[in-house]
Amino acid sequence: MVLSDHNNRSSPTPMFCNSFANRIFSDVAGDITITIDDTSFLLHKFPLVSQSGRIRKMVAETKDTNLSKLDLINFPGGPEAFELAAKFCYGVNFEITPANVAYLHCAAVYLEMTENYRNENLITRTESYLNEIVSQNLEKSIQVLRSCEMILPIADEVGIVNKLVDFIAENACKEQLVAGLSRLECDNRVIDEKGRRQEWWIEDLSGLKIDFYQRVISVMVSRGIRQDSVISSIMYYARESLKGIGKSRIWNPARTIPVLETGQRVILETLESLLPMENSSLIPIDFLFGMLRMAIMVDSSLGCRLGIERRIAVRLESVSLDDLLIPSVQTGDSMFDVDTIHRILVQFLQIIEEVEDDDDCGYESEGGVGSTSHSSLLKVGRIVDAYLAEIAPDPYLSFQKFVAMIEVLPDYARVIDDGLYRAVDIYLKAHPTLTEHDRKRLCKFIDCEKLSQEASNHAAQNDRLPAHMAVRVLYFEQLRLRTAITGPSAFSGYMSGAPSGAPSAPMSPRDTYASLRRENRDLKLEISRMRVRLSDLEKEQVCMKQGMMDKSRNGKTFLTSISRKFGIFAGPTSGKQHKSRSRKRGYSIS
């Protein structure tokens, strides 16, 4: 039946390789040659013209009455699909399967094999198979859709792609409903076990090209498929199609960018657009950071990167230090991508502000100091301080970027400044060429009143700090000692110094609300500080009581015990003791 070009040139009268035409027209020689790409078919006009509207028009419109050759350009499915269509015209039985139904349907549309030329023509037969067989089976629907990838754009033009996408979404929703009902009939142990089982169709969908996959997922979401199933599918697709999506593979100390496959940027940006924004808590945080690292490597669009960063910012309090250590891909830049982390922090603060604006009660809600936004901010403050200490030793980290990372968080994000002090100290040691002006500017960010006694002891003897910093530390140590002896009255002093009465100038309701919210925030911060101080005082009280009980045995007086506990500087001997204690606590990399 099929003849190559070589056979056509060597034989003046080409013959079929298969004899299906000769069974019906055994006494009639072939009178037309149909050429598809580089393959020729010697056939009879009558069975083709009687069922194909396209061939009938081509024969009727030609001026050559003895037409013996037709070229069918851009035939969907190639010679294999045309051979099946020709068999149908000749009445030869063959099986329609998920592997060939898409090709057959597109070939039938191309040849215009409609009901106008024969009852139950090829278009009707393929549509019946799709509607009755394929539509009822999710696996077959996915298989047929995958076969459509080779016959684009005609498969999209004839509507078979949209039909298959609807079949897949509908069957997936049915399976989800059936699975949900079956889980209700099981005990709790089995429910948990089945609930963690991944839907089988997730793996099958990963074989689709990204444009088909996007269409399927979009329709699934509109049909109400569970978001956790959608997220699992996106994660599986990403792992299969994006090389290096895993965090360990993206991290490369040598900074050598791997060879990226064509289209990975498109895949990444498409998957990001499919991830839910409102319920991003369902997405594992390590997967989001993997996506972010890959987005940086493939130089994805700014919108894609900001979308991933926004999802991370929503859950920033749950990230780890390793997550934030994103390597920089810019040659000659710092080791870590500080700009990306800075943008994430900015978005995090915007989210906190949005939450506060949406809250009618503001900071006076039942949550009080332990409100969600406040506790999240404190957690992020601790993470950022650890991040600052980690990037501080980088000799290529510019002063401006380091300062910007410190400034991005407000003062009330830190109850204790020990972590910030450690990061600044490390940076000063790693960058000894800093000017005196820059050293003073860095130290201004440290609130000496928010340093613990251990950090204060270290700072008082730290020769890397400007001289005025040591004076400030000693001053606040004296205040702390006085407070410890006379009792915790700082909070009452703060309250007595709080503004009272009406403002001196008229203020708008919006400004008044903002001012009250700032005052409430400061009060909460002070309460948090006092709780930390109170905890320290309780520990000191226990130690002093123990010292009084052991006074007769070790010969110490009560006042000596107090001076030793609170680190009073009393001459050279006391200074040596402080120096010995500061070495043990490691507030510096020295």
Side-chain angles (χ1 to χ4, degrees):
M1 170 184 175
V2 182
L3 298 174
S4 65
D5 283 349
H6 174 74
N7 290 339
N8 282 333
R9 290 191 295 268
S10 61
S11 176
T13 57
M15 301 291 293
F16 284 108
C17 296
N18 295 329
S19 60
F20 73 88
N22 292 333
R23 298 173 191 169
I24 302 177
F25 301 94
S26 57
D27 298 330
V28 182
D31 54 2
I32 189 170
T33 301
I34 307 294
T35 302
I36 309 293
D37 297 335
D38 294 331
T39 305
S40 298
F41 297 83
L42 181 59
L43 302 171
H44 302 84
K45 290 182 182 178
F46 177 73
L48 299 178
V49 170
S50 63
Q51 301 182 61
S52 171
R54 188 185 188 98
I55 295 179
R56 176 180 293 190
K57 293 174 184 178
M58 294 176 69
V59 172
E61 292 173 358
T62 183
K63 298 180 181 179
D64 186 4
T65 56
N66 296 321
L67 178 67
S68 61
K69 185 175 181 180
L70 285 178
D71 290 331
L72 299 181
I73 303 173
N74 297 327
F75 191 87
E80 294 80 8
F82 179 79
E83 181 175 345
L84 291 177
K87 285 184 177 182
F88 182 84
C89 293
Y90 278 91
V92 177
N93 291 327
F94 62 89
E95 184 181 5
I96 299 179
T97 65
N100 64 26
V101 64
Y103 295 90
L104 271 176
H105 183 74
C106 292
V109 173
Y110 181 94
L111 294 171
E112 300 177 14
M113 301 178 68
T114 64
E115 296 294 298
N116 296 332
Y117 305 99
R118 172 186 166 178
N119 291 333
E120 294 189 4
N121 211 340
L122 187 55
I123 291 180
T124 303
R125 294 285 296 276
T126 53
E127 286 181 344
S128 298
Y129 184 84
L130 289 171
N131 295 330
E132 298 173 8
I133 306 299
V134 176
S135 66
Q136 306 301 318
N137 189 285
L138 181 56
E139 185 176 7
K140 290 180 179 179
S141 300
I142 296 175
Q143 183 181 355
V144 177
L145 183 59
R146 292 184 63 180
S147 68
C148 290
E149 295 173 352
M150 305 301 297
I151 49 176
L152 291 175
I154 190 172
D156 215 355
E157 294 171 358
V158 302
I160 188 173
V161 173
N162 288 335
K163 183 177 294 188
L164 291 168
V165 168
D166 288 337
F167 291 163
I168 294 172
E170 184 177 354
N171 281 288
C173 291
K174 287 181 181 178
E175 289 208 0
Q176 174 180 284
L177 179 60
V178 172
L181 293 176
S182 63
R183 284 197 293 268
L184 291 177
E185 300 176 356
C186 304
D187 56 8
N188 292 332
R189 179 181 58 82
V190 178
I191 288 175
D192 294 337
E193 201 172 279
K194 288 189 176 183
R196 291 189 296 266
R197 188 179 62 186
Q198 177 176 284
E199 286 86 349
W200 64 266
W201 52 264
I202 289 178
E203 183 176 353
D204 285 1
L205 286 183
S206 65
L208 295 173
K209 289 186 177 180
I210 187 61
D211 52 346
F212 281 179
Y213 179 79
Q214 180 185 23
R215 293 167 68 170
V216 170
I217 293 298
S218 299
V219 175
M220 280 185 171
V221 172
S222 65
R223 295 287 183 88
I225 203 74
R226 287 199 315 269
Q227 278 200 339
D228 59 336
S229 297
V230 172
I231 292 172
S232 298
S233 178
I234 294 174
M235 292 174 57
Y236 190 90
Y237 191 98
R239 286 193 294 266
E240 293 296 315
S241 57
L242 296 176
K243 293 186 180 298
I245 194 64
K247 183 169 56 178
S248 59
R249 295 182 61 183
I250 291 179
W251 172 263
N252 189 349
R255 296 191 188 180
T256 57
I257 302 177
V259 178
L260 303 174
E261 294 182 1
T262 305
Q264 283 198 329
R265 181 184 296 107
V266 176
I267 293 175
L268 183 87
E269 293 175 354
T270 303
L271 294 179
E272 184 277 329
S273 67
L274 294 174
L275 287 172
M277 181 66 75
E278 60 279 359
N279 290 328
S280 58
S281 59
L282 299 174
I283 310 173
I285 195 70
D286 57 344
F287 175 75
L288 287 175
F289 273 101
M291 290 278 287
L292 180 58
R293 286 174 167 85
M294 179 61 71
I296 295 172
M297 293 182 65
V298 301
D299 193 23
S300 66
S301 65
L302 180 60
C304 174
R305 292 178 60 174
L306 290 178
I308 300 174
E309 292 169 5
R310 176 80 176 181
R311 294 177 178 89
I312 292 175
V314 173
R315 305 171 56 200
L316 190 58
E317 63 179 286
S318 61
V319 305
S320 65
L321 178 60
D322 290 339
D323 292 327
L324 299 180
L325 297 177
I326 301 176
S328 176
V329 297
Q330 299 295 330
T331 305
D333 199 358
S334 56
M335 292 178 57
F336 302 100
D337 193 338
V338 181
D339 295 334
T340 296
I341 304 303
H342 187 272
R343 285 198 304 271
I344 293 175
L345 286 171
V346 171
Q347 294 203 54
F348 168 76
L349 294 175
Q350 291 175 352
I351 294 170
I352 292 293
E353 189 70 21
E354 291 170 2
V355 171
E356 294 172 358
D357 290 340
D358 292 340
D359 188 358
D360 294 335
C361 297
Y363 274 91
E364 298 184 8
S365 59
E366 293 181 0
V369 177
S371 62
T372 304
S373 59
H374 187 259
S375 61
S376 299
L377 195 58
L378 294 179
K379 292 178 182 177
V380 170
R382 290 192 291 268
I383 297 172
V384 171
D385 287 347
Y387 176 76
L388 289 171
E390 194 69 25
I391 65 175
D394 182 6
Y396 299 102
L397 178 61
S398 67
F399 177 80
Q400 291 75 15
K401 287 188 177 182
F402 189 71
V403 170
M405 283 297 300
I406 296 176
E407 289 179 327
V408 68
L409 287 181
D411 293 338
Y412 54 87
R414 298 180 177 93
V415 176
I416 298 296
D417 271 9
D418 287 18
L420 179 59
Y421 165 69
R422 179 173 180 268
V424 170
D425 187 29
I426 294 174
Y427 188 83
L428 291 176
K429 182 170 185 179
H431 301 78
T433 59
L434 282 179
T435 64
E436 186 67 17
H437 176 267
D438 290 340
R439 293 157 65 90
K440 290 181 178 179
R441 184 181 175 188
L442 270 182
C443 292
K444 284 183 179 179
F445 294 109
I446 302 173
D447 188 349
C448 297
E449 192 176 2
K450 293 164 64 175
L451 292 177
S452 67
Q453 185 172 349
E454 296 177 68
S456 297
N457 293 341
H458 185 276
Q461 304 173 67
N462 191 345
D463 56 1
R464 285 185 288 272
L465 303 179
H468 78 281
M469 179 71 178
V471 175
R472 288 167 54 199
V473 170
L474 292 175
Y475 171 74
F476 283 106
E477 276 296 294
Q478 294 286 340
L479 292 181
R480 179 181 294 136
L481 177 60
R482 184 181 304 170
T483 301
I485 295 176
T486 61
S489 58
F491 182 66
S492 60
Y494 179 84
M495 291 298 293
S496 63
S500 60
S504 58
M507 299 176 63
S508 66
R510 181 180 181 86
D511 293 338
T512 302
Y513 174 75
S515 176
L516 290 175
R517 197 169 67 180
R518 283 194 299 269
E519 292 177 12
N520 288 336
R521 181 185 296 159
D522 293 339
L523 287 173
K524 289 180 180 182
L525 180 60
E526 189 63 28
I527 292 174
S528 299
R529 292 181 191 172
M530 292 307 302
R531 285 181 175 177
V532 175
R533 300 300 186 205
L534 183 59
S535 177
D536 292 341
L537 289 173
E538 289 175 350
K539 294 178 182 178
E540 296 294 342
Q541 183 181 14
V542 172
C543 294
M544 286 188 289
K545 287 182 178 180
Q546 185 65 31
M548 294 176 61
M549 294 174 61
D550 298 338
K551 180 175 61 176
S552 59
R553 179 170 54 85
N554 55 21
K556 293 181 182 178
T557 64
F558 178 61
L559 293 177
T560 303
S561 177
I562 293 179
S563 64
R564 187 73 54 86
K565 295 296 181 183
F566 288 94
I568 301 175
F569 293 95
T573 305
S574 177
K576 291 180 181 179
Q577 291 174 352
H578 278 280
K579 187 174 183 180
S580 175
R581 291 172 60 187
S582 65
R583 287 176 181 170
K584 295 181 180 179
R585 280 159 179 112
Y587 279 88
S588 171
I589 59 174
S590 58

